[in-house]
Amino acid sequence: TDPPARSYDRAGVLARRVFDLLQGGHQRIGQTRDLYVIAGKLCAVLSWMSSDLGQLVAAEAHSRNGWTLAEEADHDGLRGLLLCAQSKNAFWDKRYDDAVRHARRGYEYKPSGTARVLLACQEADALQAQGRIDEAREALKRAAEARENIRRQDEIGGIFACGIARQANYSIGTCLRTGSVKEAAHQVERAEAAWRNGEQWAYGTWAQVQIGAAMAHVMGGEPEGASLVLQLVLSQPAERRLATVTTRLRNEVI
């Protein structure tokens, strides 16, 4: 819920503290592995935040650093989170084949909690962007199955968690690609209902859902409805204008 710049700065401070501990070398071997995992998770956060800030080169550098730590710790959950970040970076760089590949690979590492749901949703998003609709639907089906089989909590919540609203947001993209306006509107309502029922609200996901709702209005011949929805997004403060949101507005709406 914090602005990306603030989250980035906080994660950077924490990462430096962890690396200082590692360089000090006063911990036990088991603690060293734990510190590698913590540092790797912070690299995943830094990668995600960097792409939200429109810094894709930095995002890739953070994810590579994190991958080195995941390999040292031999931690599959961390590998899954880093591949999630790499899939996002590839998607917004329009490297859709890479985005699909990273998401599929991350899914196979079986990260805990809802991260696996998120990875399947990311795969679907990259597939629909290429017009591979049947494959996108299969990926969304895997996301639903992954949700039904959750047995552990998220290793990292927030940006790497995938609640009902976020899952619905990814479904909206495939619906719009196929012209399924009613189904897209249903997924918008699904997201809104999840927030009303107490699911954690995140402004980035909310903005993406509103953009999807606006596109559904346009495709349904209701430009006035689209205008009203977009005003909500455009009125957000500058610190919340993620690069992912502004890019989508520019590419799909303006």
Side-chain angles (χ1 to χ4, degrees), residues 16-36:
R16 285 190 290 274
R17 287 176 58 190
V18 176
F19 286 124
D20 286 344
L21 288 171
L22 284 166
Q23 290 171 357
H26 299 300
Q27 64 279 345
R28 296 177 183 273
I29 293 175
Q31 292 172 326
T32 297
R33 181 180 186 271
D34 290 342
L35 288 170
Y36 279 143

Side-chain angles (χ1 to χ4, degrees), residues 2-237:
D2 277 348
R6 189 183 305 165
S7 296
Y8 183 93
D9 289 343
R10 184 183 177 205
V13 169
L14 292 172
R16 285 190 290 274
R17 287 176 58 190
V18 176
F19 286 124
D20 286 344
L21 288 171
L22 284 166
Q23 290 171 357
H26 299 300
Q27 64 279 345
R28 296 177 183 273
I29 293 175
Q31 292 172 326
T32 297
R33 181 180 186 271
D34 290 342
L35 288 170
Y36 279 143
V37 174
I38 293 168
K41 289 178 179 179
L42 288 165
C43 285
V45 172
L46 288 166
S47 178
W48 193 281
M49 292 290 100
S50 294
S51 63
D52 278 345
L53 292 166
Q55 303 296 324
L56 291 178
V57 173
E60 283 294 282
H62 286 305
S63 66
R64 286 194 299 270
N65 291 339
W67 189 262
T68 299
L69 294 163
E71 291 288 276
E72 287 292 327
D74 192 21
H75 195 285
D76 282 351
L78 177 54
R79 290 183 179 107
L81 292 175
L82 288 161
L83 285 163
C84 185
Q86 288 176 343
S87 180
K88 179 195 177 189
N89 297 338
F91 180 90
W92 290 105
D93 200 30
K94 296 184 179 180
R95 294 182 286 111
Y96 299 124
D97 284 335
D98 287 341
V100 170
R101 179 170 54 84
H102 291 321
R104 284 179 179 171
R105 190 179 173 198
Y107 184 89
E108 293 304 317
Y109 278 118
K110 299 180 180 179
S112 64
T114 60
R116 210 170 186 222
V117 181
L118 178 57
L119 283 156
C121 286
Q122 288 180 295
E123 180 185 345
D125 211 25
L127 288 166
Q128 67 82 16
Q130 299 177 88
R132 297 159 64 181
I133 302 303
D134 289 342
E135 293 174 84
R137 286 173 173 155
E138 285 297 316
L140 289 174
K141 182 179 178 181
R142 286 198 302 277
E145 292 170 351
R147 182 173 298 284
E148 292 175 0
N149 291 299
I150 292 173
R151 298 291 182 268
R152 293 177 293 161
Q153 292 183 335
D154 290 314
E155 291 197 39
I156 303 180
I159 56 176
F160 288 103
C162 189
I164 298 295
R166 197 173 193 181
Q167 185 177 355
N169 176 51
Y170 280 102
S171 298
I172 291 169
T174 298
C175 293
L176 293 174
R177 173 70 68 168
T178 60
S180 303
V181 176
K182 289 184 178 180
E183 179 57 24
H186 169 72
Q187 294 297 333
V188 171
E189 175 53 33
R190 185 181 174 215
E192 298 286 357
W195 288 317
R196 287 196 301 269
N197 291 331
E199 188 168 287
Q200 184 177 20
W201 182 87
Y203 63 87
T205 299
W206 170 83
Q208 295 284 0
V209 168
Q210 303 313 309
I211 293 171
M215 294 302 298
H217 279 300
V218 170
M219 293 170 68
E222 301 174 352
E224 295 84 0
S227 177
L228 290 173
V229 172
L230 287 177
Q231 284 303 317
L232 298 174
V233 178
L234 296 173
S235 65
Q236 291 296 295

